């Protein structure tokens, strides 16, 4: 089996909304409306016996996503001869955000700014997009949907690229929703790797975030060299240097927990070997278990595995014909285990780790140019499993789509492409046999694809299909470029709300 530590990745569990209502059903409904959720009608709430707790499932119609600021150097200190100082070069970050389905309202703005970058139309049930260049401030995408329905939602991504300086290569990340908990499986914190945890609080109140780290040197949580708790003011962000907090580990597993308000957490990674750039990446929190879908043939591949249980884990490559066993390793509870897989074989599209215990997996894939003067890497992780999901591609970004069926039955999906104007410009149907994968270029669906939507046939909720977009290659053919963009679910989301009925009058 494959799995991950902690609760399954349902949108309900990741939202983490819990409301304790001890006043009245009417007050609960008013509060839920203020939060942008739709609750059951009042008659379904009133019969609760006095003093007894109960809960109902409420639907969220307001969706919020954070698009990170431009990729940046982590160590910006100026020391030594100017010729040997790090530089961001000609780094540029482009993003695209999209709204799909009917909207009551929608907006896109910088964090803690009243100035709208994009005020969405509300008179359409189609697709609308907005693209621009990112700066050093995170941006917030919010939309209130007319209803909860498959295919309705928001999605976005940011892609950074440079051909000069120490950030040469490509990094990419999907915009993501704030969460009460997040987890990361990251590479070495030894010399040469700089890692920075970025925490964004979009709420109107401060929150304290607690960080717990496991490494390769011990099965116990590491004693950090920095504070393990970070307070983030309302509508602001904070950073934490993970390399300084937990140095000299061959890999780290990071758990982030927020006390009061959900936060958007991601990690910036910059790798150097002396003066040679070895790649950079922006890494989102782990979204799911299952299959990694951005494997690149003939590129150097390593895997990191984490579990809170000990056992044996086996790595399998996946191609159009099926699964192929590659390597087995013993996993020790509470410890990050690394697996050197060499170069991925020809035809490889995805990979999966099979084990008796629940676990998390991430793959680091490295591309090196001739002469080893520059390299780039991506941290590839499993995507969400959803009946309907989308990837927004920034302007002039073309990618390879990797699709894998990790289930036991043949499954079909439609891929629909929309251009920057929201017009459907192409579609393609794929049928995948069990435990096989396929890859295709975005141009195979449409030349001017700006948003790609996958709709899985015959399934609702979790599906056996997982997919991602892999950005690689440059126009100059001299710079290594490699990055993964994961899809965003376009599905109804709900949260469990705790209720306690009381006959007390509230004044």
């Amino acid at each position: 089996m494959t799995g991950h530590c902690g609760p399954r990745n349902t949108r309900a569990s990741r939202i983490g909304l819990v409301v304790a209502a001890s006043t009245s059903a009417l007050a609960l409904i008013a509060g839920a409306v203020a939060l942008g959720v739709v609750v059951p009608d009042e008659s379904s709430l009133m019969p609760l016996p006095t003093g007894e707790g109960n809960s109902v499932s409420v639907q969220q119609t307001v969706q919020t996503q954070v698009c990170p600021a431009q990729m940046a150097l982590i160590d910006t200190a100026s020391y030594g001869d100017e010729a040997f100082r790090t530089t961001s070069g000609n780094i540029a970050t482009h993003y695209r955000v999209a709204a799909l389905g009917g909207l009551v309202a929608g907006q896109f703005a910088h964090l803690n700014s009243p100035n709208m970058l994009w005020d969405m139309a509300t008179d359409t049930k189609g697709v609308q997009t907005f693209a621009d260049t990112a700066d050093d401030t995170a941006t917030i995408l919010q939309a209130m949907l007319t209803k909860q329905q498959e295919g309705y939602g928001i999605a976005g991504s940011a892609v950074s690229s440079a051909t000069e300086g120490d950030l040469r290569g490509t990094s990419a990340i999907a915009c993501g929703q704030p969460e009460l908990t997040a987890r990361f499986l990251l590479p070495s914190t030894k010399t040469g790797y700089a890692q920075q945890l970025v925490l964004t609080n979009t709420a109107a109140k401060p929150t304290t975030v607690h960080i717990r780290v496991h490494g390769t040197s011990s099965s116990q949580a590491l004693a950090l060299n920095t504070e393990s708790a970070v307070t983030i003011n309302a509508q602001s962000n904070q950073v934490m240097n993970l390399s300084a907090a937990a140095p000299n580990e061959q890999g780290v597993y990071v758990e982030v927990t927020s006390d009061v308000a959900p936060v958007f957490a991601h990690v910036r990674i910059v790798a150097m070997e002396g003066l040679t750039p070895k790649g950079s990446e922006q890494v989102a929190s782990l979204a799911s278990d299952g299959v990694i879908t951005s494997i690149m043939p003939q590129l150097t591949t390593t895997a990191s595995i984490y579990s809170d249980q000990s056992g044996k884990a086996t790595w399998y490559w996946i191609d159009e014909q099926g699964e192929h066993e590659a390597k087995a390793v013993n996993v020790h509870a509470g410890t990050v285990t690394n697996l050197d897989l060499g170069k991925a074989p020809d035809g490889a599209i995805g990979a999966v780790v099979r084990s008796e215990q629940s676990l998390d997996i991430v793959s680091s894939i490295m591309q090196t140019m001739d002469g080893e003067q520059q390299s780039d890497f991506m941290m590839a992780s499993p995507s969400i499993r959803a009946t309907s999901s989308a990837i927004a591609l920034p302007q002039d970004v073309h990618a390879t789509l990797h699709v894998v069926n990790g289930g036991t039955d043949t499954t079909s999906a439609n891929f629909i492409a929309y251009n920057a104007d929201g017009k459907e410009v192409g579609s393609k149907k794929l049928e995948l046999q069990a435990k096989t994968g396929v890859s295709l270029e975005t141009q195979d669906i449409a030349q001017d694809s700006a948003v790609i939507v996958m709709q899985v046939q015959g399934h609702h909720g979790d599906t056996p299909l997982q997919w991602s977009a892999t950005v690689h290659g440059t126009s100059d053919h001299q710079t290594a470029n490699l990055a993964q963009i994961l899809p965003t679910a376009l599905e109804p989301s709900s949260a469990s709300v705790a209720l306690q009925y009381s006959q007390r009058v509230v004044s």
Side-chain angles (χ1 to χ4, degrees):
M1 63 176 287
T2 58
H4 65 80
C5 303
R8 286 189 57 81
N9 179 49
T10 62
R11 297 191 65 189
S13 65
R14 290 170 69 95
I15 291 164
L17 173 65
V18 179
V19 178
S22 60
T23 55
S24 67
L26 183 60
L28 173 67
I29 293 171
V33 170
L35 288 171
V37 296
V38 176
V39 299
D41 61 52
E42 184 175 326
S43 63
S44 68
L45 301 179
M46 294 303 294
L48 291 175
T50 301
E52 290 190 17
N54 210 329
S55 64
V56 295
S57 178
V58 298
Q59 289 191 323
Q60 291 196 314
T61 56
V62 172
Q63 294 188 4
T64 300
Q65 288 191 4
V66 178
C67 297
Q70 176 170 290
M71 181 64 188
L73 291 169
I74 296 171
D75 183 2
T76 57
S78 296
Y79 47 84
D81 192 294
E82 185 174 354
F84 300 101
R85 295 177 186 170
T86 56
T87 171
S88 349
N90 61 345
I91 186 75
T93 301
H94 299 273
Y95 61 75
R96 184 183 301 280
V97 291
L100 302 95
L103 300 179
V104 175
Q107 60 187 29
F108 184 61
H110 282 117
L111 178 67
N112 198 20
S113 170
N115 301 320
M116 295 299 108
L117 299 172
W118 177 37
D119 197 4
M120 303 176 209
T122 58
D123 58 352
T124 176
K125 294 184 179 180
V127 175
Q128 43 187 321
T129 81
F130 177 78
D132 205 344
T133 302
D135 55 21
D136 59 0
T137 304
T139 45
I140 312 301
L141 176 65
Q142 284 190 318
M144 178 178 285
L145 307 177
T146 55
K147 58 182 175 180
Q148 286 289 313
Q149 179 174 306
E150 285 184 359
Y152 278 35
I154 53 178
S157 73
V159 176
S160 302
S161 59
T163 57
E164 301 172 4
D166 296 305
L167 295 176
R168 274 178 284 170
T170 296
S171 62
I173 187 171
C175 305
Q177 71 179 15
E179 302 169 339
L180 287 174
T181 62
R183 64 193 197 283
F184 301 86
L185 192 46
L186 303 167
S188 170
T189 58
K190 293 192 172 185
T191 300
Y193 281 89
Q195 301 189 42
Q196 183 183 67
L197 176 64
V198 183
L199 303 164
T200 303
N201 178 15
T202 64
K205 54 188 174 183
T207 188
T208 298
V209 171
H210 302 271
I211 294 97
R212 183 180 175 92
V213 181
H214 284 260
T216 53
S217 61
S218 170
S219 61
Q220 302 299 314
L222 301 176
L224 303 184
N225 291 344
T226 61
E227 294 292 333
S228 61
V230 178
T231 297
I232 315 170
N233 292 330
Q235 297 279 305
S236 64
N237 58 31
Q238 286 281 4
V239 298
M240 177 181 181
N241 190 328
L242 291 175
S243 299
N248 301 316
E249 298 291 329
Q250 295 282 8
V252 289
Y253 179 81
V254 180
E255 296 173 287
V256 176
T257 305
S258 178
D259 281 345
V260 178
V263 300
F264 174 69
H266 75 286
V267 177
R268 292 172 174 165
I269 306 173
V270 177
M272 298 282 291
E273 187 175 294
L275 299 177
T276 303
K278 289 294 182 179
S280 61
E281 191 61 285
Q282 297 210 74
V283 181
S285 62
L286 294 171
S288 184
D289 58 357
V291 175
I292 292 175
T293 55
S294 291
I295 299 299
M296 301 295 292
Q298 292 304 309
L299 293 187
T300 301
T301 305
T302 58
S304 296
I305 305 171
Y306 179 84
S307 178
D308 57 5
Q309 298 174 308
S310 297
K312 181 182 177 181
T314 304
W315 180 276
Y316 291 83
W317 301 112
I318 300 174
D319 60 19
E320 292 185 358
Q321 281 70 51
E323 293 183 356
H324 309 278
E325 183 175 341
K327 206 169 189 177
V329 65
N330 290 321
V331 176
H332 302 286
T335 305
V336 176
T337 301
N338 293 321
L339 188 60
D340 185 355
L341 296 157
K343 291 185 176 181
D346 288 336
I349 294 165
V352 66
V353 173
R354 303 216 174 271
S355 175
E356 291 300 319
Q357 71 270 18
S358 176
L359 47 80
D360 275 310
I361 58 171
V362 164
S363 181
S364 177
I365 302 169
M366 177 74 73
Q367 180 186 39
T368 302
M369 300 307 292
D370 294 340
E372 298 190 358
Q373 293 303 305
Q374 180 258 336
S375 300
D376 196 18
F377 69 94
M378 69 175 170
M379 302 296 294
S381 60
S383 72
I384 49 94
R385 288 185 290 239
T387 306
S388 181
S389 55
I391 293 176
L393 298 171
Q395 186 173 346
D396 299 326
V397 169
H398 299 287
T400 301
L401 304 182
H402 292 80
V403 190
V404 173
N405 180 3
T408 57
D409 299 310
T410 299
T411 305
S412 299
N414 288 326
F415 288 82
I416 305 168
Y418 299 88
N419 65 13
D421 296 324
K423 179 182 177 182
E424 183 178 332
V425 290
S427 63
K428 192 175 186 68
K429 183 175 181 179
L430 296 179
E431 184 178 85
L432 280 76
Q433 303 295 318
K435 295 179 172 54
T436 66
V438 66
S439 64
L440 68 159
E441 303 300 313
T442 54
Q443 297 96 315
D444 294 339
I445 305 174
Q447 286 292 328
D448 52 350
S449 300
V451 179
I452 306 290
V453 174
M454 181 181 79
Q455 296 177 337
V456 181
Q457 308 300 301
H459 288 270
H460 293 282
D462 279 1
T463 76
L465 296 191
Q466 291 174 271
W467 69 298
S468 62
T470 306
V471 181
H472 60 92
T474 62
S475 57
D476 63 10
H477 302 292
Q478 297 177 355
T479 306
N481 282 261
L482 209 57
Q484 181 192 54
I485 305 175
L486 294 175
T488 299
L490 302 176
E491 293 190 337
S493 59
S494 61
S496 179
V497 175
L499 303 178
Q500 186 174 14
Y501 178 73
S502 173
Q503 295 179 340
R504 288 183 300 171
V505 176
V506 179
S507 58

